[in-house]
Amino acid sequence: MRIASYNIRKAVGLDWRRDPARILTVLEEIDADVVLLQEADKRFGTRAGVLPAEALGDMGYRFAPVNLRHASHGWHGNAILTRLRAERPQRVYLPSLEPRGAVSARVGGVTVVGVHLGLTPRTRTRQISTLEEKFPEGPVVIGGDFNMWRKRGEGSDHFRLIAPGPSFHASRPTAPLDRFALKGVRHASAHVHRSPAAARASDHLPVVLELEVES
């Protein structure tokens, strides 16, 4: 199973133009079974999603139903795109001074969780503890923008953290903000997806995990 995580910055590229077509091009390049998106919805008003659902459908993707607002792709900007059946979709409140939350679904026998963690180490530690309590049993894959600038970042007693490499800023990647956390699964590889399209579509590059799943 190929799982990607991508902070799409509301489809606003490095030229400050909102262009969902560029995000679609990057998703086609990655060709993942599951994509965990961050900043997938506009921040104000109806908080509408920024990607065209019809075009995503042509690519075989559907959003897991974790949204509260009809026009939104997800919740607190986090969304799950999947080509596989999504079961048990849910929203998870995360402790923070600002509104934060995670979204999850059971896909292909694995619980996938999309997150956009807080800006301070103390907040992130509390949020990771909340996720450890919420998902005590594997197999679980958490993916998202962890906002951890250092390679090691904050640790976890129950999840194995994977930092595929520098994914921010897309114009000159130096910080490994985008990561995965695993429990009860094995991964074959993890990498940062680099391409001319990805270097323009958002200020983050996607990260990709190749997961070993028993058939």
Side-chain angles (χ1 to χ4, degrees):
M1 184 189 297
R2 180 175 298 165
I3 301 176
S5 175
Y6 193 10
N7 184 329
I8 63 173
R9 195 170 71 156
K10 306 171 186 66
V12 176
L14 297 194
D15 57 2
W16 290 100
R17 292 192 302 110
R18 194 186 311 277
D19 188 350
R22 293 188 291 204
I23 300 297
L24 296 180
T25 296
V26 177
L27 295 180
E28 286 183 327
E29 293 174 347
I30 298 171
D31 194 29
D33 301 296
V34 179
V35 185
L36 305 172
L37 297 174
Q38 301 88 53
E39 299 190 22
D41 300 324
K42 295 179 182 178
R43 189 171 183 179
F44 302 107
T46 61
R47 300 187 181 180
V50 298
L51 300 180
E54 183 176 350
L56 290 169
D58 292 340
M59 298 167 60
Y61 285 118
R62 295 291 184 272
F63 284 106
V66 295
N67 55 310
L68 284 175
R69 297 170 180 253
H70 175 73
S72 300
H73 292 330
W75 187 59
H76 288 306
N78 297 305
I80 300 173
L81 272 178
T82 178
R83 286 172 167 158
L84 307 173
R85 182 178 178 181
E87 302 176 316
R88 303 181 221 168
Q90 61 178 314
R91 297 174 291 272
V92 181
Y93 288 89
L94 296 180
S96 179
L97 293 177
E98 56 183 321
R100 294 278 181 177
V103 296
S104 72
R106 188 79 168 177
V107 180
V110 177
T111 298
V112 296
V113 186
V115 300
H116 192 171
L117 298 184
L119 298 176
T120 67
R122 183 176 181 179
T123 298
R124 291 192 295 268
T125 297
R126 292 175 60 206
Q127 291 172 342
I128 291 173
S129 295
T130 297
L131 294 170
E132 289 174 340
E133 294 173 3
K134 182 66 178 180
F135 303 102
E137 303 293 336
V140 178
V141 174
I142 300 173
D145 182 349
F146 278 50
N147 268 317
M148 295 179 183
W149 288 78
R150 297 180 180 180
K151 185 175 181 180
R152 290 184 62 88
E154 293 78 45
S156 169
D157 294 333
H158 303 284
F159 289 96
R160 181 160 54 97
L161 297 182
I162 304 294
S167 57
F168 181 86
H169 188 276
S171 62
R172 189 177 180 182
T174 57
L177 300 188
D178 303 279
R179 307 186 183 210
F180 297 100
L182 313 181
K183 178 192 292 185
V185 292
R186 293 186 301 173
H187 78 287
S189 64
H191 68 275
V192 178
H193 177 78
R194 295 181 173 88
S195 72
R200 297 189 301 269
S202 172
D203 59 350
H204 286 247
L205 297 174
V207 292
V208 183
L209 182 78
E210 299 285 352
L211 199 64
E212 296 182 0
V213 179
E214 294 183 4
S215 59

